[in-house]
Amino acid sequence: MSEKIIVFDTTLRDGEQVPGCQLNTVEKIEVARALELLGVDVIEAGFPISSPGDFHSVVEISKAVTKPVICGLTRAVEKDIDVAAEALQYAKRKRIHTGIGTSPYHIKYKLNSTPDKIMERAVAAVKYAKKFVEDVEFYAEDAGRSDNEYLARVVEAVIAAGATVVNIPDTTGYCLPHEFGEKIRYLMENVSNVHKAVISTHCHNDLGMATANTIEGVLNGARQVEVTLNGIGERAGNTSLEEVVMILKSHKNLPVYTEINTKQIYKTSRLVSSLMNMPIQPNKAIVGRNAFAHSSGIHQDGVLKNRENYEIINPKDVGIKESSIQLTARSGRAALKHRLKILGYDFSKDEIDKIYDRFLALADKKKDIKDDDLRALVGKAAREDRAIKLELLQVVCGKSSVPMATVRLKINNEIHSATASGNGPIDAAFTAVKQLVKRKVNLEEFLIQAITRGSDDLGKVHVQIENRGKLYYGFSASTDIITGAVEAFVDAISKII
Ligand code: KIV
Ligand code: ZN
């Protein structure tokens, strides 16, 4: 039978501890509401004694969110527990999370104590918290580096004192996955009353093993996972919610499930990232910009034939509309044709071949080709047949030089050249073009616009000219704005002819 894994989200506590990620109460409520929609079971809303702001946030989140359990963190100190209980007074379902360090490092160097005294403080803290709430979670800080035999005795004692959940944090992110799994298994097999509580994982990512350790914990008996959105948290962060949830969902043979509404993952991840000013690395599993983007020609072709050739998760399952085929110099014709089709263009094989050559030329200059670039490219191909074509353009310009332009045009299959000066390279080139076409044209409108961003961008040029009282419109796009301007001018003049 499949067993439920309780998802305990600590984005607002361990995640929010990160310098620069602090949220105000209104923002915390917004995140808490999003976490409720996401379907997390427990929200660790803060560490109430740490500051009046944290206290206030726990109070307000307790009022605003009703479905998940609201949890407040404390040390194994009575005053902390008093303040947490007060902050949680409005919570419909509440939990106090208290604890103390159990590793030799913490016992000796942080707490200047002994294992027996720590055991007494742990038990006393749980008993004290029980006076305020039924649901008490105990954390054995630095359990990852704690001696298993001593840890088992502490866990047994706190469960006997009334702890409903016992958290086994790998506070420093040191454990190897098999070691962490064995630790959980050891507790499951050696704590006589372990069935009276839920064992929880709380892993940090200092060596990049937080997700692997959490999964090992679950495979060995843990039934609660402590996680954050986007894996944010102290130092290298905590276990990321989206990774654990999607691992458990994707591996259907595992005897466990979560009740997370996975379609909310992407939205919630973006909300947390933007409110906390914490950009998501592009290759971050599940929620990174590139997590569902295919850029090599072989992969793109494979995905277009069958998504599952290169995707183990349906992007829709995490709330992303579709995987993206990134058009770059490594893309093939299949990807180009596919994107053009989405944009409403249906070209023959020969036409695609022509557009593909232009596409590669552009992709060599511009790393990432966007839809607007493609539209411009297609428009350019359609203008192939016009009567006047720009064959060559050379300009001289710059500080302390007279702007000059040499233009060579093919007009009805005959080559004509002219050189002119102007108040800038575009003005000089337009003058040369006018000399060659022998038409009186007035420039009515001239607009250059960047399509996306960056100095490697395509510039879109719109031109409107007047000839004998009639207006003609020309368009072009190029990474070279002077060439683009002249192309657009020639495009408009072609229409007169
Ligand atoms: O990493 C840790 O040990 C913690 C505890 C306070 C639960 O965050
Ligand atoms: Zn932590």
Side-chain angles (χ1 to χ4, degrees):
M1 202 191 63
S2 199
E3 280 185 65
K4 175 172 162 158
I5 297 298
I6 299 162
V7 177
F8 175 115
D9 182 277
T10 184
T11 304
L12 292 172
R13 199 279 298 170
D14 226 348
E16 212 250 354
Q17 261 165 238
V18 178
C21 282
Q22 275 69 37
L23 301 179
N24 61 37
T25 302
V26 174
E27 291 167 331
K28 283 188 190 174
I29 291 172
E30 193 177 345
V31 172
R33 287 206 169 114
L35 291 172
E36 185 174 38
L37 276 180
L38 181 63
V40 306
D41 301 286
V42 185
I43 295 177
E44 187 162 51
F47 182 8
I49 199 153
S50 66
S51 72
D54 240 39
F55 178 87
H56 184 57
S57 297
V58 176
V59 171
E60 294 308 320
I61 290 170
S62 299
K63 290 180 191 164
V65 170
T66 54
K67 243 175 126 200
V69 171
I70 307 298
C71 177
L73 184 80
T74 80
R75 293 166 295 182
V77 171
E78 288 191 358
K79 180 77 187 137
D80 282 29
I81 296 170
D82 291 338
V83 174
E86 198 190 333
L88 289 167
Q89 65 186 298
Y90 300 105
K92 205 160 160 218
R93 302 167 69 204
K94 53 187 102 174
R95 176 182 296 179
I96 289 178
H97 190 188
T98 189
I100 196 161
T102 54
S103 69
Y105 295 95
H106 281 226
I107 295 173
K108 192 164 172 205
Y109 301 115
K110 180 178 159 184
L111 301 159
N112 190 21
S113 185
T114 64
D116 287 346
K117 284 192 186 131
I118 292 299
M119 175 96 80
E120 274 169 33
R121 279 187 64 185
V123 169
V126 171
K127 285 190 175 156
Y128 191 71
K130 275 302 242 199
K131 293 188 180 161
F132 301 95
V133 291
E134 171 45 37
D135 192 1
V136 174
E137 173 167 341
F138 175 82
Y139 64 84
E141 195 176 4
D142 204 15
R145 293 187 299 171
S146 299
D147 169 68
N148 284 352
E149 192 271 326
Y150 172 68
L151 185 63
R153 283 196 286 124
V154 173
V155 172
E156 191 159 283
V158 294
I159 294 175
T164 46
V165 181
V166 183
N167 178 10
I168 308 299
D170 183 22
T171 306
T172 58
Y174 178 72
C175 285
L176 290 168
H178 77 274
E179 279 171 352
F180 192 71
E182 278 162 18
K183 192 173 281 287
I184 299 293
R185 172 122 324 259
Y186 183 87
L187 298 175
M188 298 306 293
E189 289 174 354
N190 292 282
V191 172
S192 66
N193 53 2
V194 76
H195 58 282
K196 290 191 178 159
V198 170
I199 297 296
S200 181
T201 65
H202 177 114
C203 300
H204 279 265
N205 206 30
D206 299 67
L207 291 170
M209 295 188 290
T211 296
N213 284 350
T214 299
I215 296 295
E216 273 299 315
V218 167
L219 295 180
N220 284 282
R223 286 297 172 261
Q224 176 177 284
V225 290
E226 303 197 5
V227 289
T228 60
L229 257 307
N230 307 333
I232 60 166
E234 283 277 334
R235 308 180 308 278
N238 288 54
T239 306
S240 105
L241 177 148
E242 61 276 11
E243 291 174 14
V244 171
V245 167
M246 292 315 290
I247 288 169
L248 300 185
K249 187 176 165 86
S250 308
H251 285 263
K252 302 209 166 21
N253 57 332
L254 297 180
V256 287
Y257 66 94
T258 71
E259 284 180 353
I260 292 295
N261 176 3
T262 61
K263 291 198 162 64
Q264 291 288 328
I265 284 180
Y266 188 67
K267 209 169 137 191
T268 320
S269 150
R270 293 285 139 171
L271 176 77
V272 167
S273 163
S274 70
L275 288 179
M276 290 191 161
N277 284 323
M278 194 67 168
I280 301 169
Q281 72 192 60
N283 59 330
K284 167 80 183 65
I286 319 293
V287 292
R289 172 162 38 87
N290 293 346
F292 297 97
H294 304 277
S295 64
S296 93
I298 294 171
H299 286 208
Q300 292 180 341
D301 189 49
V303 166
L304 291 172
K305 285 180 176 141
N306 183 341
R307 191 187 59 74
E308 285 175 56
N309 280 336
Y310 286 99
E311 273 179 8
I312 54 159
I313 297 172
N314 187 336
K316 291 194 175 75
D317 283 351
V318 295
I320 295 173
K321 264 203 231 127
E322 57 181 16
S323 38
S324 66
I325 300 282
Q326 270 179 333
L327 292 176
T328 67
R330 292 181 306 284
S331 300
R333 285 173 178 74
L336 177 65
K337 191 168 184 237
H338 170 78
R339 193 69 215 159
L340 286 171
K341 206 159 185 187
I342 290 173
L343 296 178
Y345 301 105
D346 212 353
F347 290 111
S348 68
K349 191 184 162 302
D350 284 354
E351 286 168 326
I352 287 287
D353 284 347
K354 264 194 201 164
I355 298 170
Y356 185 66
D357 289 343
R358 292 181 181 286
F359 163 78
L360 283 186
L362 177 63
D364 270 342
K365 292 187 208 146
K366 193 170 190 276
K367 284 174 231 125
D368 196 7
I369 307 291
K370 300 276 189 292
D371 287 352
D372 270 349
D373 299 326
L374 282 186
R375 286 194 189 94
L377 211 64
V378 167
K380 194 169 183 177
R383 289 193 301 278
E384 280 284 80
D385 303 334
R386 69 183 178 208
I388 308 179
K389 286 183 195 143
L390 178 66
E391 293 284 305
L392 176 129
L393 172 68
Q394 272 175 340
V395 294
V396 177
C397 63
K399 204 169 171 182
S400 311
S401 70
V402 177
M404 301 283 290
T406 298
V407 172
R408 192 188 303 150
L409 297 182
K410 197 181 207 177
I411 307 175
N412 294 326
N413 286 326
E414 273 184 38
I415 300 288
H416 302 267
S417 300
T419 298
S421 60
N423 65 7
I426 294 176
D427 185 46
F430 281 19
T431 305
V433 170
K434 282 196 251 176
Q435 284 172 16
L436 293 176
V437 297
K438 300 187 177 88
R439 291 280 199 288
K440 188 171 171 341
V441 291
N442 295 316
L443 190 61
E444 296 287 319
E445 202 176 295
F446 176 57
L447 182 72
I448 302 181
Q449 228 178 355
I451 288 185
T452 50
R453 271 169 282 152
S455 57
D456 67 344
D457 195 9
L458 266 184
K460 276 196 292 187
V461 188
H462 297 264
V463 164
Q464 217 176 47
I465 56 167
E466 184 269 336
N467 173 253
R468 295 171 180 236
K470 274 183 89 178
L471 290 176
Y472 298 89
Y473 173 78
F475 172 79
S476 181
S478 171
T479 48
D480 169 349
I481 51 165
I482 299 175
T483 303
V486 179
E487 286 276 19
F489 191 52
V490 168
D491 186 36
I493 295 176
S494 298
K495 290 170 186 162
I496 308 173
I497 295 171

